[in-house]
Amino acid sequence: MGRNWSKKSGRADAGAARRPSSLLALTLGTALLGLAGLTGLTACGANGDGGGEGDRDTPSASQRDGDRPPKGPDRLGPSPVAVPSVREWKAVRGPGWQLTKHTRVIAAHDSLRDEAKLLADELKVQVAKGPARTDDVELDRAKGGEQGKPGGGPEGYRLVSRDGKVTITGGDDAGVFYGTRTLLQTHRAQGRFAEGTVRDAPDRPQRGFSLDIARKNFSADWIKARIREMGDLKLNQLQLHLSDDQAFRVESDTHPEIVSDPHLTKAQVRDIVELASSRHITVIPEIDSPGHLGAVLKAHPDLQLRSASGATPRGAIDISKPAAAELVDDLLVEFADLFPGKYAHAGGDEYQALMTENPEQTYPGLAEEARKRYGKDAKVQDLATAWLNDRTETLRKHGKTPQVWNDGMHRGGVVKPDKSRQVAYWTGREAGQRQPAEYLEGGWEVVNLNDEYLYYVLGQPNNFTYPTGRRIYEHWTPAVVRGTEPVPGKWADRKHIVGGRFAVWGDLADAQTTEQVARGIRLPLAATAQKLWDPAKPDRSWSDFVKLVDQVD
């Protein structure tokens, strides 16, 4: 995951890193793939104050279509402003909606009471029973035959501002929630919502933030603040890297001996999961193995991997020992219940036994066990592949869709990686790492964590530099999985690259305070959210986007 680089690793050529990626066909056409019913999409027009060199306000969608607003009171209002930007806005003439002392939030469907209460609290108004009237905001679910899924898919929504009332209808509760974010952000920026209709939906189903809480302690309150921020940005996944060589940061009942201080209690985790759920965010636990287990091995030195010379590579568990698998499976099962979401991450990266020139010679015990289990041609990588297959099977048995790091997926070998997992692709710089297309051609779905753009590594070791929101906003798309170039167009859609995450890693934990991290990731996280929602080249300049983030915050 971009931490323990071998000497063979190196940062991509600096000049190449600064060259804009070729977006090829990843314009609006790519953004539309897989979004049934979402047609005529446009980004909303910029309504900021301008700024930057040569920045200009971008006309609204209706203006671009030649429908110039008339003068006088019966005019077209401003386009909605939200981060990420809405993808279709059709303005009509009329007064629009404004918050008044008579405004109420109406939940027309029982499942939307939580969304209604949250919005009402944010607007400082009351939740009430219908029917809705002028000044109200009504939340509803799509009914069968009602124009299909509004905006396309369960996370799509339609927001109609008409006759002084707003109605938000979603394919699912998540879609309605995202519609409330658009309403709230536009209200913050403009004090109103113009007359017209928004149809909106995300391009990618997985849109997230990954946080290393093992090497740097982040408090429960800090994590909750990021969840609220993520909700407003319409992000829907929070990956927590729970364990590493430095610490194991969550209370454990099955193995309390491995837990570090400070750590999150299970009560705190449940609060985090509950808050995330209220924002339609899935919390994904990551217990990385067979590497990055230093904190666990400190309490279980008998499971530490040893080389022929007696060396003990940091964080590497001895995968030839059944007790090692039992220990890790205990943790996977325990935390599968604590984190009830669909996904769990099994790690698989940077196993030190495979980062030597000759693993079979350096670790003869692993090589012997591989041959014993899988035949005379088996090698250490086969034992590692089988280890990860077994861990992902444990997760599947407990209802999880497993995810693993791409460098845990080894080419060739006697033992093959199982198919029912998703590949979190973070690096192409480790020796021997494969191009993203190899995984896509092999039938695996890919989650994009491209370390060239999306890795915020504390202290900037190993030639990492803090990523900028501008570079993400102007040059990255979900199809840019490795380096700066996109994958071939046939692999670029949401069915193959299912999403992405911006990641914070605590390599040099004291390099920044948690407050500095929060400030440092604010714009990169917003830019990532924008490009996962709509990969098309943005209409707004970067400087206008920054002003927009400030307006809607």
Side-chain angles (χ1 to χ4, degrees), residues 111-151:
S111 71
L112 297 171
R113 289 175 180 172
D114 290 343
E115 284 74 20
K117 185 179 186 307
L118 176 61
L119 180 62
D121 289 346
E122 291 166 326
L123 295 176
K124 297 181 172 56
V125 300
Q126 297 297 313
V127 176
K129 296 182 179 180
R133 62 196 186 201
T134 302
D135 300 332
D136 285 347
V137 178
E138 183 176 25
L139 311 182
D140 202 359
R141 291 279 296 272
K143 300 177 177 62
E146 186 183 294
Q147 298 181 5
K149 299 286 189 181

Side-chain angles (χ1 to χ4, degrees), residues 26-68:
L26 291 176
T27 58
L28 190 54
T30 301
L32 299 181
L33 286 173
L35 294 177
L38 189 56
T39 59
L41 302 180
T42 56
C44 68
N47 292 294
D49 296 327
E53 296 180 8
D55 289 344
R56 298 179 181 177
D57 286 347
T58 305
S60 68
S62 57
Q63 288 173 303
R64 286 196 296 270
D65 293 337
D67 185 6
R68 298 288 179 177

Side-chain angles (χ1 to χ4, degrees), residues 10-184:
R11 186 66 172 165
D13 162 65
R18 292 183 176 89
R19 286 193 293 270
S21 62
S22 174
L23 297 182
L24 301 177
L26 291 176
T27 58
L28 190 54
T30 301
L32 299 181
L33 286 173
L35 294 177
L38 189 56
T39 59
L41 302 180
T42 56
C44 68
N47 292 294
D49 296 327
E53 296 180 8
D55 289 344
R56 298 179 181 177
D57 286 347
T58 305
S60 68
S62 57
Q63 288 173 303
R64 286 196 296 270
D65 293 337
D67 185 6
R68 298 288 179 177
K71 296 180 180 180
D74 191 25
R75 58 185 172 84
L76 294 179
S79 302
V81 288
V83 179
S85 299
V86 302
R87 300 180 67 192
E88 180 186 315
W89 164 245
K90 293 185 178 179
V92 297
R93 295 176 178 84
W97 172 89
Q98 284 185 292
L99 180 68
T100 74
K101 64 181 181 180
H102 303 295
T103 297
R104 307 171 303 161
V105 179
I106 310 297
H109 195 281
D110 288 345
S111 71
L112 297 171
R113 289 175 180 172
D114 290 343
E115 284 74 20
K117 185 179 186 307
L118 176 61
L119 180 62
D121 289 346
E122 291 166 326
L123 295 176
K124 297 181 172 56
V125 300
Q126 297 297 313
V127 176
K129 296 182 179 180
R133 62 196 186 201
T134 302
D135 300 332
D136 285 347
V137 178
E138 183 176 25
L139 311 182
D140 202 359
R141 291 279 296 272
K143 300 177 177 62
E146 186 183 294
Q147 298 181 5
K149 299 286 189 181
E155 292 185 300
Y157 68 92
R158 182 179 63 192
L159 186 156
V160 178
S161 174
R162 192 67 50 83
D163 300 326
K165 182 181 77 172
V166 167
T167 302
I168 300 172
T169 309
D172 205 341
D173 292 0
V176 176
F177 172 72
Y178 297 142
T180 68
R181 300 305 89 191
T182 296
L183 174 66
L184 182 67

Side-chain angles (χ1 to χ4, degrees), residues 26 30 204 448 476-482 485-488 491-492 497:
L26 291 176
T30 301
R204 305 288 154 150
N448 187 335
W476 178 80
T477 76
V480 182
V481 181
R482 172 176 174 161
E485 297 298 321
V487 299
W491 304 121
I497 301 171

